[in-house]
C-alpha cells in the first residue's frame, strides 16, 4: 500500500531561527493532530537541516537539492552524504526552478538520484511541463522523458525509494492550480508509465504527489482523486496553519 505524503518546499525562504520556529510549529500541530492520514515532510534549505532536525520527530526532513558529484573540489556544493549526515530522510530533486534557473539536465539528475539513493536518502523527484508545452500538447512526452531519462535505469528495489511529484510549471507559485481532473489525468499517465516499466505492483506502491498552488481550499478535491497521493507544497508551507490545512485535507 502506498503512503500519502504532504511535503513542504520552503525554497529560499526563512532565516535559521525563523525556520526552526516554523518547523517547531508544524511538529507541534502534527503531534496534536488526532489521526493523520499522511506522512508530513518539511523540505528546508541546507543551512537549516541540522537545526530543524533537532526540533522535529514525527515530521520528516528533506533537503531541496544535492550535488551531482560525490565529494571534492566543488566549492559551494552540498553532497548527498552531507545531506544524509544531518538526519534528513529525503531530498527533493528535479524541481523546475533548479532545472530552469540552474540548468539541471536529465543526465545530471540521474547522477543526483544515484548519489542520493546510495547515501540512503529517499528522493522526491519532480517533473512537469511548461505552459507552452501544455499548449503544444507535448506535456505527456515531456513528463515521460523526464521520468524515463533520470529514473528508469533504477531497478525495482531502488525505485521503491522514489516519490514522484507532478508539478506543472504554469501552476507553481502562480495561484493557478491544475484542476483535479487535469492532475488526475497526468498522475494516471505516470502510474501507467511505471506499470509498463516495473509492473503494476511497483506502480501501485509508488506515491505520486501533486504540486502547484495547492492550498487548504483546494487540497481535499485534489487528494480525493485516486492517483493523487498528496502534495508538494511551496508558498502554503511557509505558514504552519496553511500547511496543516493541507495536511488535514486527507
Ligand atoms: C513548489 O515549488 O514545489 C510549489 C508547488 O510551489 P507553490 O505551492 O507555491 O505553487
Amino acid at each position: 500500500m502506498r503512503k500519502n505524503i504532504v511535503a513542504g518546499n520552503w525554497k529560499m525562504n526563512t532565516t535559521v531561527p525563523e525556520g526552526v520556529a516554523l518547523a517547531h510549529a508544524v511538529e507541534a500541530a502534527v503531534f496534536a493532530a488526532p489521526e493523520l492520514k499522511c506522512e508530513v515532510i518539511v523540505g528546508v534549505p541546507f543551512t537549516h537541516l541540522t537545526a530543524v532536525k533537532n526540533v522535529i520527530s514525527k515530521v520528516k526532513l528533506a533537503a531541496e537539492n544535492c550535488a551531482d558529484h560525490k565529494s571534492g573540489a566543488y566549492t559551494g556544493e552540498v553532497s548527498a552524504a552531507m545531506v544524509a549526515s544531518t538526519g534528513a530522510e529525503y531530498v527533493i530533486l528535479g524541481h523546475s526552478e533548479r532545472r530552469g534557473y540552474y540548468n539541471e539536465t536529465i543526465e545530471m539528475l540521474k547522477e543526483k538520484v544515484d548519489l542520493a539513493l546510495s547515501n540512503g536518502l529517499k528522493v522526491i523527484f519532480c517533473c512537469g511541463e511548461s505552459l507552452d508545452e501544455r499548449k503544444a500538447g507535448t506535456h505527456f512526452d515531456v513528463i515521460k522523458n523526464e521520468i524515463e531519462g533520470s529514473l528508469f535505469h533504477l531497478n525495482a528495489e531502488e525505485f521503491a525509494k522514489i516519490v514522484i511529484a507532478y508539478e506543472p510549471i504554469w501552476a507553481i507559485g502562480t495561484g493557478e492550480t491544475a484542476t483535479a481532473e487535469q492532475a488526475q489525468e497526468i498522475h494516471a499517465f505516470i502510474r501507467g508509465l511505471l506499470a509498463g516499466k516495473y509492473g503494476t505492483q511497483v506502480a501501485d506502491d509508488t506515491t505520486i504527489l501533486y504540486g502547484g498552488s495547492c492550498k487548504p481550499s483546494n487540497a481535499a478535491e485534489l487528494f480525493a482523486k485516486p492517483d493523487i497521493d498528496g502534495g508538494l507544497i511551496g508558498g502554503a508551507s511557509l505558514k504552519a496553519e496553511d500547511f496543516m490545512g493541507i495536511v488535514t485535507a486527507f
Side-chain angles (χ1 to χ4, degrees):
M1 256 303 274
R2 60 182 177 260
K3 236 193 253 181
N4 294 326
I5 294 176
V6 174
N9 173 19
W10 293 359
K11 311 193 186 193
M12 196 173 72
N13 290 299
T14 73
T15 61
V16 173
E18 287 164 354
V20 167
L22 175 56
H24 192 262
V26 172
E27 172 75 15
V30 164
F31 208 83
E35 254 184 61
L36 286 186
K37 299 201 177 68
C38 63
E39 181 170 288
V40 181
I41 302 172
V42 287
V44 311
F46 291 136
T47 44
H48 298 35
L49 286 166
T50 305
V52 166
K53 178 67 188 165
N54 285 334
V55 297
I56 57 177
S57 63
K58 280 201 160 196
V59 174
K60 308 295 180 201
L61 184 63
E64 299 174 15
N65 182 28
C66 71
D68 58 341
H69 295 281
K70 200 170 168 191
S71 65
Y74 299 99
T75 302
E77 286 293 283
V78 175
S79 71
M82 292 172 186
V83 169
S85 73
T86 66
E89 250 183 64
Y90 289 89
V91 59
I92 300 168
L93 292 177
H95 193 282
S96 57
E97 287 153 15
R98 300 238 28 114
R99 291 180 195 260
Y101 303 147
Y102 302 99
N103 304 317
E104 290 195 358
T105 62
I106 282 175
E107 195 51 42
M108 277 164 78
L109 287 166
K110 187 177 172 207
E111 297 300 322
K112 291 187 180 204
V113 166
D114 286 345
L115 286 163
L117 295 184
S118 64
N119 281 284
L121 294 166
K122 292 177 234 171
V123 173
I124 300 174
F125 182 83
C126 306
C127 59
E129 80 285 359
S130 66
L131 190 56
D132 285 349
E133 288 162 341
R134 179 161 276 264
K135 281 184 180 159
T138 57
H139 44 301
F140 292 105
D141 290 338
V142 169
I143 290 157
K144 183 171 184 277
N145 287 341
E146 289 180 346
I147 291 178
E148 282 184 354
S150 301
L151 297 177
F152 272 15
H153 63 291
L154 301 175
N155 63 35
E157 196 187 327
E158 291 164 335
F159 196 84
K161 306 279 191 304
I162 305 290
V163 170
I164 305 267
Y166 166 58
E167 298 208 306
I169 299 169
W170 48 272
I172 294 181
T174 58
E176 186 174 345
T177 321
T179 64
E181 289 68 31
Q182 282 172 320
Q184 166 59 26
E185 183 185 34
I186 300 288
H187 283 230
F189 169 74
I190 292 171
R191 209 176 297 286
L193 201 61
L194 304 186
K197 169 74 179 170
Y198 295 105
T200 47
Q201 188 62 55
V202 170
D204 283 348
D205 287 349
T206 303
T207 297
I208 308 178
L209 309 179
Y210 167 78
S213 299
C214 185
K215 38 191 183 267
S217 58
N218 58 25
E221 192 189 351
L222 286 158
F223 298 171
K225 292 293 178 193
D227 289 297
I228 303 181
D229 310 314
L232 181 57
I233 317 299
S237 70
L238 293 170
K239 281 197 188 137
E241 202 186 325
D242 290 349
F243 189 54
M244 287 310 294
I246 297 171
V247 167
T248 52
F250 272 109

